[in-house]
């Protein structure tokens, strides 16, 4: 039987979190809580939160810690797939979020097992982000050159159209990278100190990166 997964996937924009998460879901059947996808869901639904979040996301900034912590707590308590463990993708992104997560998991007796950091130097991320295509309904991620869909601009599974994200441009990426280095890299150090961290060279092909992640979780 496959062991229960309780992990964080962390790395800069374009490092491959959204590309690798579906592999983890199909192996472990845990819930996949991707905070960027959750916020884009709010934007699509036209909620007040979505309107506020869109302005921040398009500028490459971070949405408030309170909102993000509330979203994760709600999912852990109400998403039945989280009974099989969880994959946090894009959360926590600040030390305040990491501390709130520690408290949340302690209260629910769900100790964190692994933090996997996908490591890619900044200069490799520009082409990944500007060539990315996504399937909005599922969050599946493709790349015009590195991971093209079977049929041009169509999702492999549903055949629905693929789009580019509104924050996938060079200007917003610069700000997202600044936010990552200033606010999220300290989170990586936080988990290194807790002894649950593994770093993965995510400049390899997606298949090789998946092999390395699988090995790290054994
Ligand atoms: P979010 O949606 O989480 O974006 P992100 O962290 O910037 O990460 P990305 O989705 O851009 O990258 P990814 O690592 O998933 O890369 P992918 O696999 O697609 O967040 C968006 C915004 O929401 C934030 O900026 C913020 O405003 C807000 N937000 C979200 N969470 C928040 C929080 N907790 N607190 C506050 N605000 C929050 O890969 C990228 C491309 O590269 C793809 O085209 C892919 O095909 C290709 N690729 C992947 N792997 C490889 C490989 N090995 N080789 C070659 N190409 C590859």
């Amino acid at each position: 039987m496959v062991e229960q997964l309780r992990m964080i996937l962390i790395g800069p924009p374009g490092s491959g979190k959204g590309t690798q998460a579906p592999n983890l879901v199909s192996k472990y059947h845990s819930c996949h809580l991707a905070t960027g996808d959750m916020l884009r869901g709010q934007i699509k639904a036209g909620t007040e939160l979505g309107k506020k979040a869109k302005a921040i996301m398009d500028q490459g900034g971070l949405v408030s810690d309170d909102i993000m912590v509330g979203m994760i707590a709600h999912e852990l308590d109400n998403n039945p797939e989280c009974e099989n463990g969880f994959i946090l993708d894009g959360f926590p992104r600040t030390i305040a979020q990491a501390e709130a997560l520690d408290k949340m998991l302690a209260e629910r007796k769900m100790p964190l097992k692994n933090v996997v950091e996908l490591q890619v130097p900044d200069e490799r991320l520009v082409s990944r982000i500007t060539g990315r295509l996504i399937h909005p309904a599922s969050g599946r991620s493709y790349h015009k050159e590195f991971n093209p869909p079977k049929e041009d601009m169509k999702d492999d599974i549903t055949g629905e159209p693929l789009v580019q994200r509104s924050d996938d441009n060079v200007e917003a990426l610069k700000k997202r990278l600044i936010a990552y280095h200033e606010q999220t890299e300290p989170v990586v150090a936080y988990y290194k100190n807790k002894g649950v961290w593994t770093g993965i060279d995510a400049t390899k092909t997606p298949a090789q990166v998946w092999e390395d992640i699988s090995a790290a979780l054994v």
Side-chain angles (χ1 to χ4, degrees):
M1 200 180 116
V2 183
E3 242 197 278
Q4 202 186 68
L5 196 63
R6 289 191 297 275
M7 73 170 288
I8 294 169
L9 201 50
I10 197 165
S15 56
K17 303 180 296 291
T19 301
Q20 298 298 335
N23 297 328
L24 290 161
V25 174
S26 49
K27 180 165 177 187
Y28 292 94
H29 308 287
S30 316
C31 63
H32 171 213
L33 306 182
T35 41
D37 289 346
M38 288 153 90
L39 290 169
R40 283 183 285 278
Q42 295 281 330
I43 294 171
K44 192 158 179 244
T47 65
E48 277 310 306
L49 166 59
K51 283 178 199 155
K52 279 190 208 147
K54 181 166 172 41
I56 297 168
M57 290 164 79
D58 283 351
Q59 292 294 314
L62 293 184
V63 175
S64 87
D65 290 334
D66 286 354
I67 290 176
M68 303 316 303
V69 169
M71 271 187 173
I72 294 293
H74 181 269
E75 287 295 315
L76 289 178
D77 291 340
N78 296 289
N79 183 337
E81 287 169 7
C82 296
E83 286 167 21
N84 292 327
F86 54 78
I87 303 147
L88 301 180
D89 163 355
F91 181 94
R93 254 176 157 95
T94 63
I95 291 289
Q97 291 180 17
E99 288 172 349
L101 178 67
D102 274 352
K103 191 162 172 269
M104 207 187 292
L105 296 181
E107 284 165 3
R108 289 163 181 78
K109 299 190 170 48
M110 299 167 110
L112 185 65
K113 288 183 172 172
N114 301 93
V115 174
V116 172
E117 181 197 6
L118 300 182
Q119 299 169 319
V120 182
D122 286 8
E123 58 275 14
R124 297 280 285 266
L125 298 171
V126 179
S127 55
R128 284 200 188 182
I129 288 289
T130 52
R132 171 165 56 187
L133 300 168
I134 57 155
H135 176 238
S138 67
R140 269 187 291 280
S141 184
Y142 300 84
H143 192 280
K144 288 176 189 166
E145 191 186 336
F146 308 138
N147 182 23
K150 289 180 189 138
E151 211 182 318
D152 192 34
M153 292 305 285
K154 291 203 175 138
D155 177 48
D156 286 353
I157 308 227
T158 62
E160 287 167 356
L162 300 178
V163 298
Q164 272 206 297
R165 265 169 50 176
S166 57
D167 59 346
D168 276 356
N169 57 71
V170 176
E171 272 319 297
L173 176 62
K174 273 189 199 152
K175 295 188 186 135
R176 285 158 66 195
L177 284 172
I178 291 171
Y180 185 80
H181 293 306
E182 288 183 359
Q183 294 181 268
T184 310
E185 268 174 6
V187 176
V188 173
Y190 179 87
Y191 289 116
K192 277 184 186 169
N193 286 334
K194 286 183 180 277
V196 285
W197 169 89
T198 310
I200 300 278
D201 174 2
T203 62
K204 299 178 183 173
T205 66
Q208 286 168 325
V209 174
W210 170 234
E211 250 182 58
D212 292 348
I213 294 175
S214 303
L217 296 176
V218 170

